[in-house]
């Protein structure tokens, strides 16, 4: 999840750096300050901004990653391909993407991700296929006599460190929403700050085939209207406050913490806001001005943000 347990660290890997087609390893900790494209086979994938690792190796069919304790590494497919891995890390399946996030404190050792370009992930669990039937008539079901006494099987007491079971195929859309990789609690309108907080609230122990609400608008964002204060060329005021809330809610994070971060938006359009706005403008095909120009305001109004 893009916004969960992620440290944004400014380390000198240039913006847009490509690891396409090369087998690459790093001996020291590295941080990705921007989304980074890697090519496996003939398909492009993304190492998400804010990821950190001690080693990354890109092969012909795999990418191998080692993540230090206290850090995370997110690997993203815009084609929704299944991102199989040797550590049993669940695939986060969004409306138009798939992603795995490696958390250093949870996953130790090298994680090998093997994208499967022949299959895509699903936002809901599916049933298995049935086998071929044999000939002959089915055996009749016997009619029970009396009420059988059922003796419950005692729950064994765990010994040592136990790995929690992965909850699979559970519909959580009534309360939880997935917005650009972040899981929101619809009761509070806020995203979870860590997987453990989400697990405790949802009563689950893993992400396997969980179904979330993907059409939810976080409470930190507002819709366009006369009260938004959004004006062409604005550099401060309610328009900038709305803009920061909008960018954070859409995954174009202004800041990871402090002023401009989710829940701490300001009314000042500084360099961090401009940078996030440029990313949004690029994603929708607008000229990357970093300003609330006429074209950007018109786009937001036309699309009812």
């Amino acid at each position: 999840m893009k916004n969960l347990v992620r440290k944004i660290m400014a380390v000198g890997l240039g913006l847009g750096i490509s690891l396409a087609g090369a087998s690459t390893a790093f001996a020291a900790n590295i941080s990705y300050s921007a989304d980074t494209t890697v090519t496996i086979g003939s398909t492009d994938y993304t190492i998400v901004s804010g990821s950190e690792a001690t080693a990354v190796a890109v092969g012909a069919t795999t990418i191998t990653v080692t993540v230090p304790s206290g850090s995370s590494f997110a690997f993203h497919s815009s084609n929704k391909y299944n991102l199989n891995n040797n550590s049993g890390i669940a695939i986060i399946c969004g409306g138009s993407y798939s992603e795995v996030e490696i958390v250093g404190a949870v996953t130790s050792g090298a994680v090998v991700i093997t994208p499967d370009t022949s299959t895509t992930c699903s936002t809901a669990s599916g049933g298995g296929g049935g086998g071929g039937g044999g000939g002959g008539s089915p055996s009749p079901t016997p009619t029970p006599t009396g009420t059988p006494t059922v003796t419950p099987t005692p729950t064994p007491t765990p010994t040592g460190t136990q790995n929690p079971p992965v909850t699979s195929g559970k519909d959580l859309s009534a309360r939880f929403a997935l917005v650009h990789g972040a899981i929101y609690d619809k009761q509070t309108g806020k995203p979870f700050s860590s997987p453990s907080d989400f697990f405790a609230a949802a009563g689950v122990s893993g992400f396997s085939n969980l179904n979330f609400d993907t059409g939810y608008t976080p409470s930190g964002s507002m819709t366009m209207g006369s009260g938004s204060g959004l004006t062409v060329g604005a550099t401060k005021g309610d328009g900038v406050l709305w803009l920061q809330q909008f960018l954070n809610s859409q995954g174009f994070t202004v800041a990871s913490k402090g002023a401009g971060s989710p829940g701490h938006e300001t009314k000042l359009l500084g360099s961090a806001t401009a940078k996030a706005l440029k990313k949004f403008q690029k994603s929708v095909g607008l000229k990357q001005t970093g300003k609330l120009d006429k074209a950007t305001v018109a786009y937001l109004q036309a699309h009812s943000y």
Side-chain angles (χ1 to χ4, degrees):
M1 330 161 203
K2 292 182 181 177
N3 295 332
L4 297 182
V5 196
R6 182 165 297 137
K7 292 185 179 179
I8 306 300
M9 301 183 67
V11 175
L13 282 180
L15 297 179
I17 184 172
S18 174
L19 301 178
S23 178
T24 308
F26 301 89
N29 285 15
I30 56 171
S31 296
Y32 294 83
S33 58
D35 287 351
T36 301
T37 300
V38 296
T39 301
I40 300 176
S42 59
T43 305
D44 288 343
Y45 302 88
T46 302
I47 298 174
V48 179
S49 173
S51 295
E52 184 176 26
T54 54
V56 177
V58 180
T61 60
T62 62
I63 179 171
T64 303
V65 183
T66 303
V67 180
S69 178
S71 300
S72 63
F73 184 98
F75 187 73
H76 178 99
S77 167
S78 59
N79 296 309
K80 294 185 66 174
Y81 290 143
N82 276 321
L83 303 177
N84 302 325
N85 60 86
N86 67 335
S87 297
I89 301 172
I91 302 170
I92 302 171
C93 191
S96 61
Y97 69 91
S98 60
E99 185 173 300
V100 291
E101 181 169 20
I102 306 166
V103 180
V106 176
T107 307
S108 61
V111 177
V112 181
I113 302 172
T114 306
D116 183 357
T117 58
S118 65
T119 60
T120 57
C121 68
S122 173
T123 55
S125 61
S137 302
S139 300
T141 302
T143 302
T145 58
T147 302
T149 301
V150 179
T151 302
T153 301
T155 302
T157 302
T159 58
T161 302
Q162 302 291 315
N163 292 323
V166 175
T167 304
S168 177
K170 192 169 185 178
D171 186 356
L172 302 177
S173 59
R175 178 177 173 186
F176 303 101
L178 186 66
V179 182
H180 290 279
I183 298 179
Y184 279 75
D185 186 338
K186 292 160 65 174
Q187 292 183 359
T188 65
K190 301 295 183 182
F192 289 94
S193 59
S194 70
S196 59
D197 289 346
F198 164 69
F199 293 157
V204 299
S205 55
F207 295 110
S208 179
N209 290 326
L210 297 180
N211 191 20
F212 299 94
D213 181 358
T214 56
Y216 174 73
T217 300
S219 60
S221 65
M222 299 184 293
T223 56
M224 290 290 296
S226 60
S228 71
L230 188 62
T231 58
V232 174
T235 57
K236 59 183 179 179
D238 291 339
V240 177
L241 176 63
W242 179 90
L243 176 64
Q244 290 186 359
Q245 292 172 331
F246 168 76
L247 291 170
N248 285 335
S249 71
Q250 299 299 307
F252 302 93
T253 308
V254 175
S256 60
K257 61 182 179 179
S261 62
H264 300 281
E265 291 85 356
T266 72
K267 296 184 179 183
L268 177 64
L269 199 160
S271 59
T273 307
K275 182 177 179 181
L277 179 55
K278 285 182 179 180
K279 291 182 179 180
F280 168 74
Q281 289 170 329
K282 180 180 180 181
S283 72
V284 297
L286 294 173
K287 185 177 180 180
Q288 299 173 54
T289 63
K291 299 178 180 179
L292 281 173
D293 51 32
K294 291 182 179 180
T296 301
V297 173
Y299 182 91
L300 294 172
Q301 291 173 329
H303 291 78
S304 300
Y305 283 112

